[in-house]
Amino acid sequence: RLLAGIESLAKDLTSIVDGKNISFLDAARSAGYAKEHNDLSSVFLKKGSYFAFVELHIEQGPILEKEGTSIGIVTAIAAPASIKADFEGTGGHAGAVLMPNRNDAGLAAAELALAVEKHVLESGSIDTVGTVGILELHPGAINSIPIKSQLEIGYSHKPEEYASCEDMENGVKVLALTLAKLSLQ
């Protein structure tokens, strides 16, 4: 989009910053690019000088290497979805509250993470993946029982699999069963 002359993108890449207050242009400079440019519009291609673009992707997994294949063709684009789950438990000192008396929000999050893995592996689809990429425990101290936890689950399916009502229903059941187990403790 930048090469095609989308001016709003050029502006956004200089003004929007990441969590460390670094813009795209600043990151490009620190990596050795755009040393002499303050304006990303200098990379715009002139209108009418192109007909189409081919977008190349570097495989981020081991499949092609494992198969000894030097190049692959994309046959589908995964449809990502995400779910954020929050758990509340009862905090306390890890040495003073005995295991049978705990309501640990961290363990509830861990059980959900394992349930996601089990659900995806049992889906029967090689292309369906589920990842708990963010897991936060509060207060986050080695000698404190987590009173709160939050995790984010990322799912990715082929589009024809993603739309399956049964698949979505099963995902909700996994979440509901985990929540129910937490509330029984």
Side-chain angles (χ1 to χ4, degrees), residues 27-183:
R29 281 194 185 116
S30 70
Y33 299 100
K35 289 182 180 180
E36 300 175 14
H37 299 286
N38 288 324
D39 182 8
L40 290 174
S41 66
S42 64
V43 302
F44 289 173
L45 294 175
K46 292 180 181 159
K47 291 190 187 281
S49 68
Y50 57 91
F51 173 74
F53 288 98
V54 174
E55 185 176 350
L56 302 177
H57 288 257
I58 296 171
E59 182 187 23
Q60 295 178 351
I63 296 171
L64 294 180
E65 183 178 1
K66 182 179 173 186
E67 293 178 355
T69 304
S70 59
I71 192 167
I73 305 295
V74 174
T75 58
I77 296 175
S82 63
I83 299 171
K84 187 183 288 188
D86 295 303
F87 293 95
E88 290 191 21
T90 305
H93 189 277
V97 180
L98 301 178
M99 296 303 288
N101 301 326
R102 292 187 181 191
N103 184 7
D104 187 324
L107 293 179
E111 286 196 31
L112 179 57
L114 291 171
V116 166
E117 178 189 39
K118 184 175 190 257
H119 171 69
V120 170
L121 288 172
E122 292 175 352
S123 74
S125 170
I126 191 84
D127 295 313
T128 299
V129 295
T131 305
V132 174
I134 297 175
L135 175 59
E136 296 176 358
L137 302 177
H138 301 281
I142 196 164
N143 62 348
S144 294
I145 300 165
I147 192 168
K148 292 182 181 180
S149 65
Q150 181 180 78
L151 73 157
E152 292 188 43
I153 306 161
Y155 280 107
S156 184
H157 309 256
K158 284 184 177 177
E160 63 271 14
E161 294 171 348
Y162 180 73
S164 162
C165 291
E166 181 180 316
D167 191 51
M168 289 188 282
E169 181 182 342
N170 285 336
V172 172
K173 283 181 185 176
V174 167
L175 182 57
L177 289 172
T178 304
L179 291 170
K181 187 172 184 176
L182 175 64
S183 69

